[in-house]
Amino acid sequence: MKVGYARVSTHEQNLSMQIDELKKSGCTEIFTDKISGAKSERPGLQKALGFLREGDSLVVWRLDRLGRSLKHLIEVITLLEERNIGFSSLQESIDTTTSGGKLIFHIFGALAEFERNLIRERTKAGLAAARARGRKGGRPRVLDEKKIQLAKNLYDSRKHRVSEICEIIGISKSTLYNYLKD
């Protein structure tokens, strides 16, 4: 069975063109979302994924209708593949039920992994260069030494509750405990 998924980013946009194309391709069930692709919660997609059974195929009008990013797209297709469910994108003519479609998708996956590795390497090199120049990473400290000492004195005196100390200093409980650990 072919199951369609259509998505538009805003409520003002119309799904009808995508739905028409999905029906033409043979989809008997179609699930939709009117939500930004950047949102991780897409109820229509979740319903479609829950509806699909082994041997079915998920069909989208275009790749960007399914995935928020190449990484997300690959995760969804991998999930489908593990469940023995095919995937087709009408505009890009990708069909993972064919050898050629699988090849194209594996190339996408390799490119995504390559990109992640490049980002990781550049990040490590940037941090090493910053350390070599004497810079330390992480967030700047919220309190100066005078306020740290005040917080420690208030805490050690046991005359104030933790919430009172936090209010006096202007910090959260977790921040207070982090400074007390040091």
Side-chain angles (χ1 to χ4, degrees):
M1 170 187 281
K2 286 186 174 184
V3 176
Y5 173 68
R7 181 187 61 79
V8 290
S9 299
T10 65
H11 286 283
E12 290 81 36
Q13 293 176 319
N14 195 324
L15 288 162
S16 56
M17 185 272 301
Q18 289 180 55
I19 292 171
D20 291 345
E21 293 298 318
L22 292 170
K23 284 180 180 175
K24 272 191 228 173
S25 76
C27 292
T28 53
E29 288 286 331
I30 297 174
F31 296 86
T32 63
D33 278 318
K34 286 191 174 188
I35 193 164
S36 168
K39 301 284 184 193
S40 59
E41 284 298 313
R42 293 196 247 162
L45 178 58
Q46 293 308 313
K47 286 178 187 171
L49 294 174
F51 182 83
L52 288 160
R53 299 291 174 253
E54 186 174 328
D56 289 348
S57 194
L58 179 65
V59 182
V60 295
W61 177 67
R62 216 170 67 196
L63 283 174
D64 67 347
R65 302 296 84 199
L66 178 64
R68 299 187 312 270
S69 63
L70 182 56
K71 179 181 182 265
H72 179 250
L73 193 60
I74 289 168
E75 287 171 359
V76 172
I77 303 306
T78 301
L79 174 77
L80 293 173
E81 200 172 65
E82 288 169 358
R83 294 175 52 200
N84 199 23
I85 297 170
F87 170 76
S88 298
S89 173
L90 301 176
Q91 290 295 301
E92 289 85 3
S93 300
I94 293 174
D95 183 353
T96 63
T97 62
T98 67
S99 299
K102 282 183 181 175
L103 173 66
I104 295 296
F105 221 82
H106 286 291
I107 290 170
F108 282 176
L111 289 172
E113 184 176 346
F114 176 70
E115 180 184 22
R116 282 191 302 273
N117 289 337
L118 280 179
I119 291 168
R120 189 178 303 118
E121 288 172 11
R122 284 194 300 256
T123 301
K124 284 181 180 179
L127 289 171
R131 273 189 228 101
R133 290 190 308 271
R135 296 211 45 215
K136 286 172 57 176
R139 296 175 82 178
R141 295 184 67 85
V142 176
L143 303 179
D144 59 20
E145 285 304 317
K146 191 175 177 182
K147 283 191 176 182
I148 294 170
Q149 196 55 52
L150 174 62
K152 287 180 178 180
N153 291 342
L154 290 170
Y155 185 80
D156 290 340
S157 74
R158 306 246 184 248
K159 293 180 183 177
H160 302 279
R161 292 191 320 260
V162 169
S163 58
E164 291 174 333
I165 298 170
C166 292
E167 194 174 315
I168 291 167
I169 306 291
I171 56 175
S172 68
K173 288 181 183 180
S174 59
T175 302
L176 174 65
Y177 287 123
N178 284 335
Y179 280 107
L180 293 174
K181 263 193 316 191
D182 295 341

